Amino acid sequence: MAMRTATTPDYPVAILGAGFAGLGLAIRLKQQGRHDFVVLERASDVGGTWRENTYPGCQCDIPSALYSFSFAPNPNWTRLFPLQEEIWDYLRDCADRYGIRPHIRFDSEVTGADWDDERGFWRLTTSQGEITARVVVTGQGGLSEPAPPDIPGVDSFAGTMFHSAHWDHDHDLRGERIAVIGTGASAIQFIPYVQPEAAKLTLFQRTPPWIMPHPDRPMRPFERRLFRRLPVLQKLLRGAIYTFFESRVLPFTKKPDLMKAGERIALKHMREQIPHDPELRAKLTPGYRMGCKRILMSNTYYKALAQPNADVVTEPIAEIRPNAIVTADGVEHEVDTIIFGTGFKVADGMAQMGVTGRDGVKLVDAWKDGPEALLGTTVAGFPNLFMIVGPNTGLGHSSMVFMVESQINYVLDAMRTVDASRAVAIDTRQDSQDAYNADLQRRLGKTVWSTGGCASWYLDENGRNRTLWPGYTFSFRRRTKAIDPAHHELIA
């Protein structure tokens, strides 16, 4: 290695993104007495996913007591499952309460990151110029880049067209012929709000989701008062919810046939919501094992689709014309507005940003066969680069905030290790990363996501699951409590 030039970077730590991951790490850094960090946020406010997604009905499918920081409980949630606006308010409050805003550079989109071998720090290219940092932690998350479908003729459409993550609140949907493409979690939430406004709602469905009854309810005023006066009660509720959700790991990961009980509940729910239309029920009945795709919850989706002004089309879309969507059977469906509920690009957004590590190796090349990391956090050949919500840290059963806090623990321990050894950086051993991912993929091969008979956004183009963690979250928490020196090398 070349002799290092004694150049001090602008910041010891740069955090990319001001959602749950970025804010959580920033708060923990301040709590540990580290105040010399910067948060680079491409938007003009904090919030991440919960700032961007403002479509009607947007709501988390994890109870509010668990979908929040363990160190910042909120006794004032108004519903058992939090609404988008309240989650965004919660994150803005955390940024203010813990004094994070002065550390944030808003409207600073990071477009490139290059490791300087000689100086031992990262050079970040941003929309406001270059910034250097010893450590870079990415916290952009997997639900930040919408994934509109590539349909022939889509650019020719003359009406209004938008993705659910970029909802056009200025556009009046009343009396329009509205097409919804996609049946993901967002569509299931906004369709019940759109259907009553529409003259005609046409849902273009490729694969129906499994939908369970939604147990949401308002939090009663006396409950909120109790949580404020006796915070331990909310902590106990959080623990109970966490334990219940962890009990669902077995059918997801080892015994997919146990999902049959849930399927019976979902089918009964559909019959109750659509009692008089067996043809519609047949269209909406999944042909794969529950859990293979994300399990959704709604008490209003089926009812909306059963209304006289709603139609479900299962024929594949062939093309889009200036005023219509044409399906493979040649039918032309005239529409005024198209809303995409087609989800997000979750697999390799960080690689596409443009990241170059040691010896000029680009992350997009290191990930040419698919994104891999050690514990979803570090990548061999990219020193002092940490990902929160990296590959295979997603969940099909519980709160991502729990995983975020686990990875924050890991990042902080890695930073302590570098400081204690007076090293410049820490890197991951390639053999350790390879062994970890080989074991991970072996375990994932037995899960419902691989054996359930569906194609989902959990899987890459090669059918490998690069998204989910195949086990209990407390197991991940235990493994990320501290780094294992045997899996890393320190760079002097």
Side-chain angles (χ1 to χ4, degrees), residues 97-372:
R97 193 188 338 163
Y98 292 96
I100 304 302
R101 285 189 186 273
H103 297 269
I104 304 176
R105 288 194 181 189
F106 291 110
D107 304 307
S108 294
E109 182 174 10
V110 178
T111 56
D114 299 279
W115 174 253
D116 189 320
D117 276 315
E118 183 179 349
R119 291 174 174 81
F121 56 63
W122 286 93
R123 297 185 179 278
L124 300 174
T125 305
T126 83
S127 56
Q128 295 188 10
E130 184 179 90
I131 290 175
T132 57
R134 185 76 65 198
V135 172
V136 172
V137 185
T138 70
Q140 295 103 316
L143 304 181
S144 58
E145 289 295 330
D150 184 16
I151 300 173
V154 66
D155 293 332
S156 72
F157 187 65
T160 300
M161 182 170 58
F162 54 88
H163 191 279
S164 62
H166 294 154
W167 196 271
D168 187 349
H169 291 280
D170 294 329
H171 181 64
D172 191 352
L173 296 171
R174 287 177 294 182
E176 288 202 329
R177 297 166 298 180
I178 301 169
V180 176
I181 298 176
T183 52
S186 302
I188 268 58
Q189 292 182 338
F190 72 69
I191 280 175
Y193 289 84
V194 170
Q195 173 269 318
E197 301 282 308
K200 174 73 173 180
L201 172 74
T202 306
L203 172 64
F204 293 86
Q205 172 188 274
R206 184 169 59 181
T207 308
W210 283 105
I211 299 179
M212 297 287 278
H214 205 311
D216 186 36
R217 66 167 179 81
M219 296 301 292
R220 302 175 182 91
F222 84 88
E223 292 173 314
R224 300 202 295 271
R225 286 196 300 270
L226 281 175
F227 291 155
R228 285 192 292 269
R229 295 172 184 174
L230 296 170
V232 67
L233 294 180
Q234 192 172 29
K235 188 174 182 179
L236 290 172
L237 175 62
R238 180 186 177 96
I241 293 170
Y242 173 78
T243 301
F244 169 74
F245 280 2
E246 288 299 281
S247 71
R248 305 192 301 172
V249 169
L250 188 63
F252 276 104
T253 61
K254 289 183 170 45
K255 302 283 186 182
D257 282 350
L258 294 176
M259 288 289 184
K260 291 178 181 177
E263 292 174 6
R264 288 193 291 271
I265 295 172
L267 292 173
K268 179 175 181 289
H269 178 55
M270 186 193 299
R271 288 193 300 270
E272 291 172 347
Q273 300 258 305
I274 311 174
H276 306 301
D277 193 340
E279 183 179 347
L280 178 59
R281 291 201 302 268
K283 288 182 178 180
L284 297 174
T285 299
Y288 56 88
R289 177 66 68 229
M290 175 180 276
C292 184
K293 296 170 73 76
R294 185 175 174 182
I295 302 172
L296 306 177
M297 300 183 296
S298 176
N299 296 331
T300 54
Y301 175 70
Y302 287 142
K303 287 180 180 179
L305 295 181
Q307 299 307 307
N309 70 331
D311 187 24
V312 177
V313 175
T314 57
E315 281 287 327
I317 296 174
E319 64 171 315
I320 294 178
R321 295 176 181 169
N323 66 336
I325 294 175
V326 181
T327 45
D329 56 3
V331 176
E332 186 176 76
H333 307 266
E334 293 189 353
V335 296
D336 303 306
T337 294
I338 299 174
I339 305 174
F340 297 118
T342 49
F344 299 84
K345 302 173 184 176
V346 298
D348 59 354
M350 204 180 93
Q352 299 306 321
M353 181 182 77
V355 179
T356 304
R358 296 171 80 173
D359 303 319
V361 175
K362 296 186 181 299
L363 186 60
V364 69
D365 294 327
W367 281 0
K368 65 181 183 299
D369 296 324
E372 290 186 348

Side-chain angles (χ1 to χ4, degrees), residues 23-35 37 69-72 94 97-98 100 103 405 408-409 412 416:
L23 290 178
L25 176 60
I27 292 168
R28 289 289 304 281
L29 285 172
K30 292 203 75 167
Q31 289 176 335
Q32 294 191 359
R34 293 176 179 259
H35 303 283
F37 62 87
F69 292 124
S70 63
F71 52 80
C94 286
R97 193 188 338 163
Y98 292 96
I100 304 302
H103 297 269
E405 290 197 47
I408 289 172
N409 293 339
L412 294 175
R416 282 191 295 267

Side-chain angles (χ1 to χ4, degrees), residues 437-455:
N437 281 279
D439 177 67
L440 195 71
Q441 291 300 324
R442 178 188 59 78
R443 294 166 59 196
L444 282 162
K446 303 174 183 178
T447 66
V448 70
W449 309 305
S450 298
T451 65
C454 74

